[in-house]
Amino acid sequence: MKIQLDRKLTTCPKTLLCTIRNIPFEVGKIRLLLYSDRGLLLGDISPECVKLSSAEIRCKLRERACAMLQDDEATDAPRSSRDCALELLQAAQEEVRFPTPLDWWFKKFEIFSEESQEVESTRTGLSAYYVLERSRLQKMLDDDRG
């Protein structure tokens, strides 16, 4: 399994469910996503769970999968809870690869850079708007004089 860092999108809900412990948590600017070795997205991880060891994460995934298998209630998810539980059990056999400090640094820098570009494009867009309005006003004044 691999924990991948991703930027929180504006469409992302404020609160997500942790895949490992099935508890709600508030997501920050960086989302932590858990992928299986096959590249299957298993879900989001809370900041508390990313601090766990690989063995603890695997154990909690097995516990959650077993609880899901024992639960007879149907879910609204497109796939059955049994399929999801089996995917978690399979993923629990894989070693967890955590993001390195360099990965964290790059992701923070990427987010800072994107946010700076968004601010700059907004500022530039407003400046262009003011220049356009100013030129319209200047043209109106020139027309009145002539």
Side-chain angles (χ1 to χ4, degrees), residues 19-30:
T19 300
I20 296 172
R21 294 187 301 158
N22 200 34
I23 59 165
F25 68 95
E26 285 192 27
V27 65
K29 289 184 178 186
I30 297 177

Side-chain angles (χ1 to χ4, degrees), residues 4-5 7-8 13 16-17 23-24 29 32 40 60 66 86 97 100 113 115 119 132 134 140 142 146:
Q4 186 173 319
L5 306 174
R7 180 180 182 187
K8 176 188 167 192
L16 299 173
L17 274 179
I23 59 165
K29 289 184 178 186
L32 301 160
L40 178 69
K60 297 224 180 269
C66 289
L86 293 175
R97 293 183 312 279
T100 66
S113 176
E115 288 175 346
V119 168
L132 179 65
R134 190 170 170 204
M140 286 174 35
D142 290 343

